[in-house]
């Protein structure tokens, strides 16, 4: 199977109506020609935290969302993409619970990375830890084993609690590989077409390195899992937040990659009214990418934009977003901050709010995204031009919830009445239906306060013109009758 060159939707199982059955009804009733490229359902599995990203198992669907039958029903009309948190599993999983009870006697003991697998006496060495790209204060958690009362330190890359809810898997273990095979077979059985390998950059733990995207070992794992996925007719999308050269290596290796450079670059372009950096980037980027502007986390800054922006300019863009209600996720490890201390990992806000709820600016951003080569993904909050949900972030204590508002069916219907949403849906239909997007792409040299992008295929041609002074966007295209049509976005 091949990925469709059409727009995909990203949503949680419960964010458009409350559960999977309602999601399916909403998709068919309102968005059947909108997300014709597929639907990325963020983790619908039983989970103990991180809004699904601490999965207990992949063999079941969280009962409050529905069942695998509901996933298969969605799959009848839309290609379904799901996540596999290949780096970790929940503390509440049967595997780790058995380890907590029996320790090294557990049949699952080899699933996990006890620190003696890395350090001779099982005690972390400060010099090694300081080199690691940390996502929490330290990369391990301490647990007490029920049967013998002994303490075990195991590797935990992620997690806001201590001990963590997310326990790293030892992907060098044959038992873990068998487990991953079982998950993939189950995905295939229920019609999953694409699997996003979440946090795959962290799977290799090697002393003396950052323990992030460790080469060449990471490719050995990726090659193994790609062979597995190919055997089941499943496409893979590795999720790696890293400096662009790492992404490009993945692309050269034959993988789809995420364009994590585009979201910030488009934002910078519209805020500073300057297209030079964006146009230069669009001329040179790999084409086998999934494009996004927004997602369930935030707008990537570091390390994704390293070597592409300078700290002073980035601070100004970040400050504008903060003025518009954004919060920030920061880099923890000193070594990975800029020399002047700039440490912004992600900007947490809705993309519509980041653009000051300016309808023309928002439509210009989406037009640029849809004209950029790759598979466009639109996050559900962005699809409905949602604003920052500051209250939800306060209530939950999770800053990323600022861009995770759950829409009732009534709220969806109300959003569909808004002009900005109707304009966006029209633009998505054009991107899905116009055949030139399967042809050749070109960036036309233009003034710094303008953008000019063109697609051609045979007699079909469409050209996007964005005036950054006014944020107005115009598409000129040739219709089926051969006539020149001007479409004001």
């Amino acid at each position: 199977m091949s990925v469709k060159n059409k727009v995909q939707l990203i949503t949680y199982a419960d964010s458009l109506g409350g559960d999977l059955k309602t999601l399916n009804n909403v998709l068919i009733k309102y968005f059947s020609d909108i997300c014709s490229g597929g639907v990325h359902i963020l983790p619908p599995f039983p989970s103990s935290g991180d809004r699904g990203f601490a999965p207990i198992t992949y063999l079941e669907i969280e009962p409050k969302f529905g069942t695998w039958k509901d996933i298969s029903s969605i799959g009848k009309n839309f290609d379904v993409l799901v996540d596999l948190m290949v780096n970790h599993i929940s503390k509440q999983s049967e595997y780790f619970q058995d380890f907590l009870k029996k320790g090294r006697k557990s049949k699952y003991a080899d699933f996990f990375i006890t620190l003696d697998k890395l350090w001779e006496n099982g005690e972390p060495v400060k010099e090694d830890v300081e080199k690691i790209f940390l996502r929490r204060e330290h990369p391990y958690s301490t647990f007490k084993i029920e049967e013998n009362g002994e303490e075990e330190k195991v590797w935990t890359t992620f997690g806001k609690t201590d001990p963590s809810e997310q326990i790293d898997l030892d992907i060098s273990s044959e038992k873990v590989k068998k487990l991953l095979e079982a998950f993939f077979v189950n995905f295939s059985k229920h019609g999953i077409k694409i699997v996003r390998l979440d946090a795959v950059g962290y799977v290799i733990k090697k002393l003396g390195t950052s323990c992030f995207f460790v080469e060449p070992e990471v490719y050995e794992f990726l090659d193994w899992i790609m062979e597995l996925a190919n055997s089941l007719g499943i496409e893979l999308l590795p999720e790696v937040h890293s400096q662009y050269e790492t992404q490009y290596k993945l692309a050269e290796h034959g993988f789809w990659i995420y364009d994590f450079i585009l979201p910030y670059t488009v934002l910078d372009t519209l805020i500073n009214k300057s297209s030079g950096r964006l146009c230069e980037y669009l001329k040179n980027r790999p084409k086998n990418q999934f494009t996004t502007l927004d997602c369930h986390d935030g707008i990537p800054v570091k390390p994704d934009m390293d070597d592409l922006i300078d700290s002073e300019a980035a601070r100004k863009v970040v400050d504008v977003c903060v003025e518009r209600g954004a919060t920030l996720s920061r880099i923890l490890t000193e070594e990975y901050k800029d020399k002047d201390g700039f440490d912004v990992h992600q900007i947490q806000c809705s993309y519509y709010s980041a653009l000051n709820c300016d309808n023309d600016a928002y439509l210009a951003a989406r037009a640029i995204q849809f004209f950029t080569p790759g598979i466009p993904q639109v996050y559900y909050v962005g699809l409905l031009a949602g604003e920052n949900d500051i209250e939800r972030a306060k209530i939950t204590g999770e800053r990323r919830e600022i861009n995770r508002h759950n829409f009732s069916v009534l709220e969806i219907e109300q959003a569909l009445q808004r002009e900005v949403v109707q304009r966006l849906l029209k633009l998505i239909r054009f991107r899905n239906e116009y055949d030139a997007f399967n042809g050749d792409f070109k960036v036309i040299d233009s003034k710094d306060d303008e953008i000019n992008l063109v697609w051609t295929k045979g007699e079909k041609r469409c050209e996007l013109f964005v005036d950054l002074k006014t944020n107005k966007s115009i598409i000129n295209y040739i219709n089926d009758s051969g006539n020149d049509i001007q479409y004001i976005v």
Side-chain angles (χ1 to χ4, degrees):
M1 116 346 114
S2 59
V3 177
K4 294 172 183 166
N5 184 21
K6 297 177 185 291
V7 174
Q8 294 183 356
L9 172 69
I10 310 171
T11 182
Y12 286 98
D14 58 341
S15 286
L16 291 175
D19 58 30
L20 289 165
K21 276 191 174 66
T22 311
L23 172 61
N24 193 28
N25 293 336
V26 165
L27 292 175
I28 292 170
K29 185 173 182 180
Y30 301 114
F31 304 119
S32 60
D33 60 345
I34 298 302
C35 46
S36 48
V39 182
H40 178 180
I41 303 174
L42 294 165
F45 315 108
S47 171
S48 61
D50 200 11
R51 193 147 182 190
F53 284 85
I56 293 171
T57 180
Y58 295 89
L59 302 178
E60 302 167 22
I61 299 299
E62 168 58 46
K64 69 182 178 184
F65 299 153
T67 66
W68 273 110
K69 186 176 179 182
D70 297 316
I71 296 282
S72 297
S73 294
I74 294 172
K76 290 176 183 175
N77 297 295
F78 309 94
D79 288 350
V80 176
L81 187 160
V82 296
D83 296 90
L84 179 65
M85 275 56 76
V86 71
N87 178 71
H88 54 265
I89 202 156
S90 171
K91 181 177 77 172
Q92 303 302 325
S93 66
E94 65 171 301
Y95 320 111
F96 195 70
Q97 284 298 303
D98 194 75
F99 175 76
L100 280 181
K101 185 177 181 181
K102 302 174 185 174
R104 301 299 176 101
K105 293 179 182 177
S106 168
K107 62 181 177 180
Y108 303 119
D110 197 44
F111 277 30
F112 310 109
I113 306 170
T114 51
L115 295 196
D116 59 308
K117 287 186 175 182
L118 291 158
W119 288 286
E120 192 172 338
N121 61 358
E123 287 300 319
V125 175
K126 182 183 177 185
E127 290 76 12
D128 292 326
V129 174
E130 287 176 344
K131 290 182 176 137
I132 296 169
F133 183 74
L134 293 175
R135 297 302 306 273
R136 58 202 303 271
E137 189 177 347
H138 41 72
Y140 57 87
S141 294
T142 304
F143 297 92
K144 184 169 283 190
I145 303 304
E146 184 181 325
E147 285 191 359
N148 58 23
E150 293 179 359
E151 287 191 340
E152 288 279 11
K153 288 187 175 74
V154 298
W155 200 284
T156 51
T157 298
F158 299 96
K160 293 185 178 297
T161 59
D162 196 16
S164 175
E165 277 291 326
Q166 294 156 295
I167 314 298
D168 285 41
L169 292 165
D170 185 352
I171 55 92
S172 66
S173 164
E174 289 303 315
K175 290 182 179 180
V176 168
K177 288 183 177 178
K178 289 290 184 188
L179 182 68
L180 296 176
E181 286 175 12
F183 292 156
F184 267 93
V185 167
N186 188 57
F187 289 157
S188 176
K189 175 183 168 186
H190 292 100
I192 300 302
K193 296 293 194 296
I194 309 170
V195 170
R196 184 177 84 144
L197 296 177
D198 185 80
V200 70
Y202 298 91
V203 297
I204 306 297
K205 283 75 177 176
K206 186 176 180 181
L207 299 185
T209 75
S210 66
C211 293
F212 179 82
F213 210 83
V214 179
E215 302 176 82
E217 289 87 346
V218 70
Y219 294 118
E220 294 169 12
F221 174 72
L222 283 167
D223 289 342
W224 172 81
I225 207 163
M226 179 181 257
E227 185 178 347
L228 170 61
N230 287 345
S231 72
L232 297 166
I234 293 174
E235 294 270 1
L236 290 183
L237 175 57
E239 184 256 4
V240 178
H241 280 286
S242 182
Q243 198 259 3
Y244 72 97
E245 288 181 347
T246 300
Q247 295 278 22
Y248 289 6
K249 287 177 186 176
L250 265 177
E252 290 168 6
H253 213 74
F255 287 95
W256 287 100
I257 60 172
Y258 271 110
D259 188 342
F260 288 134
I261 296 169
L262 192 67
Y264 177 91
T265 306
V266 169
L267 189 62
D268 179 26
T269 298
L270 290 163
I271 287 174
N272 290 313
K273 309 293 185 185
S274 173
S275 66
R277 194 187 303 274
L278 172 68
C279 290
E280 193 59 33
Y281 170 63
L282 293 179
K283 289 176 183 178
N284 299 300
R285 62 189 283 284
K287 294 180 180 178
N288 51 325
Q289 303 200 53
F290 278 57
T291 69
T292 63
L293 293 182
D294 44 2
C295 70
H296 66 284
D297 278 339
I299 299 166
V301 183
K302 288 185 65 63
D304 306 82
M305 300 302 298
D306 284 352
D307 299 334
L308 297 174
I309 53 173
D310 65 78
S311 299
E312 186 177 349
R315 281 183 201 276
K316 292 177 182 177
V317 172
V318 168
D319 287 346
V320 169
C321 294
V322 170
E323 286 171 14
R324 296 171 179 176
T327 56
L328 305 175
S329 167
R330 298 187 181 275
I331 298 286
L332 296 178
T333 310
E334 289 296 325
E335 185 178 340
Y336 298 100
K337 298 176 183 178
D338 285 354
K339 290 178 181 177
D340 64 356
F342 182 69
D343 61 353
V344 178
H345 177 50
Q346 293 179 343
I347 304 167
Q348 297 160 333
C349 64
S350 87
Y351 213 84
Y352 186 61
S353 291
L355 290 170
N356 212 27
C357 304
D358 181 320
N359 291 354
D360 287 339
Y362 186 62
L363 269 295
R366 289 297 177 190
I368 294 165
Q369 180 194 6
F370 298 157
F371 267 72
T372 298
I375 309 300
Q377 290 188 326
V378 178
Y379 185 57
Y380 75 99
V381 177
L383 182 68
L384 299 176
E387 297 181 33
N388 289 335
D389 191 339
I390 295 170
E391 191 63 27
R392 181 174 175 83
K394 284 180 182 176
I395 291 170
T396 61
E398 169 56 76
R399 288 175 300 182
R400 291 175 296 178
E401 291 289 319
I402 196 170
N403 193 31
R404 297 178 179 178
H405 180 78
N406 289 332
F407 291 82
S408 66
V409 173
L410 177 60
E411 286 177 310
I412 294 168
E413 291 172 345
Q414 290 171 339
L416 287 168
Q417 303 305 311
R418 295 168 58 207
E419 178 201 5
V420 63
V421 176
Q422 284 300 314
R423 288 168 65 190
L424 176 56
L425 297 183
K426 180 181 178 182
L427 180 61
I428 290 174
R429 291 186 185 103
F430 181 80
R431 173 61 178 80
N432 284 340
E433 296 164 9
Y434 197 71
D435 193 42
F437 289 106
N438 295 306
D440 297 314
F441 171 75
K442 187 176 182 182
V443 179
I444 305 296
D445 290 334
S446 56
K447 293 190 289 186
D448 192 50
D449 56 8
E450 296 175 352
I451 298 168
N452 206 344
L453 310 176
V454 178
W455 282 90
T456 54
K457 184 184 178 187
E459 299 299 313
K460 291 294 178 74
R461 182 179 192 275
C462 59
E463 180 174 348
L464 171 67
F465 174 79
V466 179
D467 184 344
L468 294 173
K469 296 188 299 294
T470 62
N471 292 327
K472 297 289 186 182
S473 306
I474 296 171
I475 297 173
N476 293 296
Y477 69 97
I478 299 171
N479 68 9
D480 290 340
S481 302
N483 298 321
D484 290 321
I485 306 295
Q486 185 174 86
Y487 159 29
I488 299 173
V489 176

